[in-house]
Amino acid sequence: MLQSTALVSVKNLRYSYGQRVAVGGVSFDVAQGEIFGLLGPNGAGKTTTLSCLAGLLGAFEGELEMKGQRYRPGDSVDDRRRLGLVPQELALYDDLTGRENLVFFGKINGIKGVDLVQAVDKALSLAGLADRAGDRVKEYSGGMKRRLNLAAGDLHSPSLLLLDEPTAGVDPQSRNHIFEALRALRTQGRTIIYTTHYMEEAQRLCDRVAIINEGLIAAIGTARELATGIGKPEADLEDVFLHLTGRSLRDR
């Protein structure tokens, strides 16, 4: 259930690559325990926004806050440990087993001893990989790797979990497992920001979504609120998305 107090606040975020403005003044709040979708066409600025939140890009303008306090994961180890990142490109070691990968990432996040063993076992259960924990990751299917990628990002129970297209290229069973895992994390109070190109995923999973286009927020709200906002209360999220961002190809 959503709470009224924002866990994360993004205030007038701006970022440029040289002369090209990627994000031109983005603001939004994400509530504690919310799955918040960040949607946009290629080149719209969503990955740049996510990278600023993850601490991967630091030279931005604007303010990031967590629980009302300044938040700078690029500069602060403590802030980074409040964050879990599940990147689109798999961040796993193929020659290590599933368990060895999780142990490695757990140690990076300062988990030790019995706490580490318990965290790894919990993560393997979340990923549905307890029976394959001793297999090398290079032997995993694409869906298994995606599930382990999610488990690695959430291993240290971060306050904020950032997911960049976490179901890209997976089979329907693994996609459904990931959805169920994310809903379970939400019930535990985890706050999630989720990017995807699959509109049906966002409609099914996200409490609210922000649609970003050309570096600016075009609309924000529940899927129903966005449909009502364009004067088509029965429209699905894909129709809303195309209405707000246009139908032109974005091959860049």
Side-chain angles (χ1 to χ4, degrees):
M1 182 176 296
L2 301 185
Q3 299 179 7
S4 58
T5 303
L7 176 78
V8 177
S9 295
V10 177
K11 300 182 177 181
N12 200 31
L13 180 69
R14 298 173 178 270
Y15 191 90
S16 297
Y17 297 96
Q19 298 300 311
R20 183 175 71 83
V21 177
V23 178
V26 163
S27 299
F28 58 86
D29 291 338
V30 184
Q32 178 78 41
E34 180 176 22
I35 300 180
F36 183 86
L38 187 61
L39 313 179
N42 291 334
K46 63 183 184 299
T47 298
T48 298
T49 300
L50 204 70
S51 295
C52 291
L53 278 164
L56 301 176
L57 296 175
F60 57 79
E61 299 177 39
E63 293 296 328
L64 304 179
E65 293 181 356
M66 185 177 288
K67 293 186 177 180
Q69 302 297 315
R70 187 175 184 267
Y71 173 67
R72 282 292 189 275
D75 301 330
S76 166
V77 172
D78 288 340
D79 281 352
R80 282 199 296 277
R81 286 184 173 169
R82 301 167 75 184
L83 165 77
L85 176 63
V86 182
Q88 183 178 355
E89 298 295 328
L90 293 168
L92 301 169
Y93 293 95
D94 278 348
D95 287 329
L96 298 181
T97 67
R99 184 179 296 277
E100 288 169 344
N101 267 275
L102 294 174
V103 167
F104 173 77
F105 288 115
K107 288 180 177 179
I108 285 178
N109 282 288
I111 311 175
K112 302 176 182 178
V114 174
D115 290 340
L116 179 59
V117 173
Q118 292 176 343
V120 168
D121 286 344
K122 184 178 178 181
L124 288 168
S125 178
L126 178 77
L129 291 170
D131 61 339
R132 298 291 301 272
D135 294 349
R136 295 183 187 276
V137 167
K138 64 185 176 184
E139 299 169 5
Y140 284 4
S141 68
M144 293 166 68
K145 290 179 180 180
R146 286 287 174 193
R147 283 151 36 207
L148 186 64
N149 210 40
L150 170 61
D154 188 67
L155 185 68
H156 57 298
S157 300
S159 298
L160 175 65
L161 188 58
L162 304 177
L163 293 95
D164 191 5
E165 300 192 36
T167 64
V170 306
D171 59 86
Q173 288 79 12
S174 285
R175 178 176 287 114
N176 187 66
H177 185 97
I178 289 170
F179 288 171
E180 291 178 352
L182 295 178
R183 291 191 185 99
L185 292 174
R186 176 173 55 187
T187 65
Q188 298 170 25
R190 200 80 79 251
T191 301
I192 297 168
I193 299 179
Y194 188 100
T195 77
T196 180
H197 281 113
Y198 301 126
M199 295 299 110
E200 72 279 6
E201 280 191 6
Q203 183 140 7
R204 175 179 170 186
L205 188 64
C206 297
D207 300 295
R208 292 185 303 138
V209 300
I211 296 177
I212 186 170
N213 190 41
E214 297 182 349
L216 298 170
I217 298 290
I220 188 169
T222 66
R224 178 167 293 186
E225 288 169 347
L226 297 184
T228 300
I230 66 168
K232 299 178 180 180
E234 303 305 317
D236 62 20
L237 193 53
E238 183 168 340
D239 289 335
V240 172
F241 183 87
L242 291 172
H243 179 91
L244 292 170
T245 65
R247 295 177 179 272
S248 300
L249 297 175
R250 306 289 183 94
D251 295 331
R252 52 174 171 160

